[in-house]
Amino acid sequence: MNRATVRLGVLLLAGVGVVAVLLALLWPFSSGGLPERTGHGETTNGVQVNRLSERDHELTVTSAALGREGMVRVLLPEGWEPGSGPWPVLYLLNGCCQSRYDSWVTEGGAAELTSPYPAIVVIPEGGTVGFYSDWLDGPGWETFHLTEVRQILERDYGAGDRRAVAGLSMGGFGAMSYAARHPGMFQAAASFSGVLHTRDGENGVDNLLSGNGEDASKLWGDHRGPAWAAHNPADLTERLRDVRLFVSSGDGSPGPLDDSTTAGNDGEASLLRQAQTFAERARANGAGLTVDFYGPGTHTWPYWRRGLERALPLLMGSIGATA
């Protein structure tokens, strides 16, 4: 091979390299802009951020309280940017046995319903039947939500000290229990078809736990012990005088948001009785309470989505986040 041939080969390889570099540089702009960041970013301080969109972040949190990683969905308000704040915060808590931890987004319309409000919305994982508690023998959900997640929101997202909390079913329990057990932390709380009297007659909590392979004694211990009353919303209404409350429930019969094939639901009827007891005690203790006992309606997402829509003016107004 002569020198001219070698020189030509080198020039051709160099040209191919230059073209490859130019294509790599220009490719992101070929569709009109930089590609959206949808992959997991680097883990910082035990938190990995997956930016689903500019407003919607999914966090994977290394949690000492849970002894494993926990998931959190964060919806940011319009105008949010790093270093801004303090922003008010709305916690949305899931019910038991949901297929996804973030069902408030995937089924409950939370992103759409909360978008007009200048507040951070946080949807943390709550476990299949975690019951928003630090178990006597098991995970520390209460610590995960109210210490670990709260500190992440304050450190990384500019969250302030104005907070509201709402939840469905087991999450309705969590909302009222958290607000009562942590005076001053939440200015408003809402329950949609919530478990609001865990010590009322036939115990739905036990059934849910055993039905999901959990030992009820590992949650709050013996039913006669103090931990049951210390977590039961109906026993804690005296601590909710300074919290604005919203409580809704149906009677379990098929309602206007059900289709013609929907059967009645005895569980929702039982939860309505619990809600009525809670409301009676809350009013007797001087709490500011709005109720929406809407009659026909089953234990399903259309009613919880409507409940959130109806409660949002109260929740957001209580934390200074009016639309």
Side-chain angles (χ1 to χ4, degrees):
M1 184 180 295
N2 60 36
R3 292 182 179 180
T5 302
V6 172
R7 186 178 298 111
L8 178 60
V10 171
L11 289 173
L12 287 172
L13 287 173
V16 170
V18 169
V19 171
V21 170
L22 288 173
L23 287 174
L25 290 172
L26 291 173
W27 176 81
F29 299 95
S30 63
S31 61
L34 287 169
E36 185 177 9
R37 295 177 65 185
T38 57
H40 285 282
E42 293 183 1
T43 300
T44 305
N45 295 321
V47 181
Q48 188 177 62
V49 181
N50 181 15
R51 291 174 176 82
L52 302 175
S53 71
E54 287 301 313
R55 184 185 179 224
D56 189 351
H57 292 188
E58 183 176 63
L59 312 184
T60 304
V61 179
T62 301
S63 169
L66 300 181
R68 63 168 177 81
E69 291 181 337
M71 302 301 296
V72 183
R73 196 86 174 256
V74 179
L75 304 177
L76 300 170
E78 184 177 355
W80 180 91
E81 58 183 22
S84 63
W87 294 94
V89 179
L90 170 64
Y91 281 76
L92 289 180
L93 307 182
N94 209 9
C96 88
C97 319
Q98 298 288 321
S99 59
R100 294 183 54 140
Y101 83 91
D102 54 357
S103 293
W104 267 116
V105 174
T106 60
E107 298 188 65
E112 173 191 351
L113 293 174
T114 62
S115 62
Y117 296 94
I120 295 170
V121 179
V122 56
I123 302 152
E125 178 185 358
T128 303
V129 280
F131 269 97
Y132 297 96
S133 302
D134 287 352
W135 285 46
L136 294 179
D137 181 7
W141 291 107
E142 191 167 0
T143 297
F144 175 59
H145 296 144
L146 302 188
T147 300
E148 293 178 342
V149 172
R150 176 182 59 80
Q151 290 174 350
I152 291 167
L153 295 173
E154 292 170 356
R155 181 192 69 208
D156 298 342
Y157 290 96
D161 60 2
R162 302 288 295 176
R163 307 178 192 90
V165 59
L168 68 97
S169 195
M170 180 181 75
F173 160 85
M176 294 304 176
S177 181
Y178 279 0
R181 288 169 54 78
H182 299 270
M185 180 173 285
F186 296 99
Q187 284 69 55
S191 165
F192 316 117
S193 304
V195 180
L196 298 182
H197 194 1
T198 62
R199 303 195 301 142
D200 178 31
E202 182 182 351
N203 203 295
V205 176
D206 279 346
N207 293 336
L208 285 173
L209 291 167
S210 61
N212 284 276
E214 298 287 356
D215 180 350
S217 67
K218 293 183 178 181
L219 175 58
W220 300 317
D222 189 279
H223 284 239
R224 295 164 294 182
W228 278 81
H231 289 84
N232 182 25
D235 287 329
L236 301 175
T237 55
E238 188 175 354
R239 301 185 188 181
L240 293 169
R241 287 198 193 100
D242 297 325
V243 181
R244 293 187 65 187
L245 306 176
F246 183 98
V247 177
S248 69
S249 186
D251 64 14
S253 64
L257 304 183
D258 295 298
D259 61 38
S260 60
T261 64
T262 302
N265 185 275
D266 292 339
E268 183 73 10
S270 175
L271 293 173
L272 174 61
R273 292 191 294 272
Q274 292 186 23
Q276 290 168 334
T277 298
F278 174 87
E280 180 182 341
R281 294 185 184 183
R283 285 195 177 109
N285 282 306
L289 175 68
T290 298
V291 299
D292 182 18
F293 297 149
Y294 44 82
T298 55
H299 200 69
T300 52
W301 271 108
Y303 296 99
W304 304 327
R305 177 183 173 124
R306 187 182 69 179
L308 176 61
E309 186 173 16
R310 290 176 173 178
L312 274 173
L314 180 151
L315 293 168
M316 293 300 198
S318 297
I319 57 177
T322 55

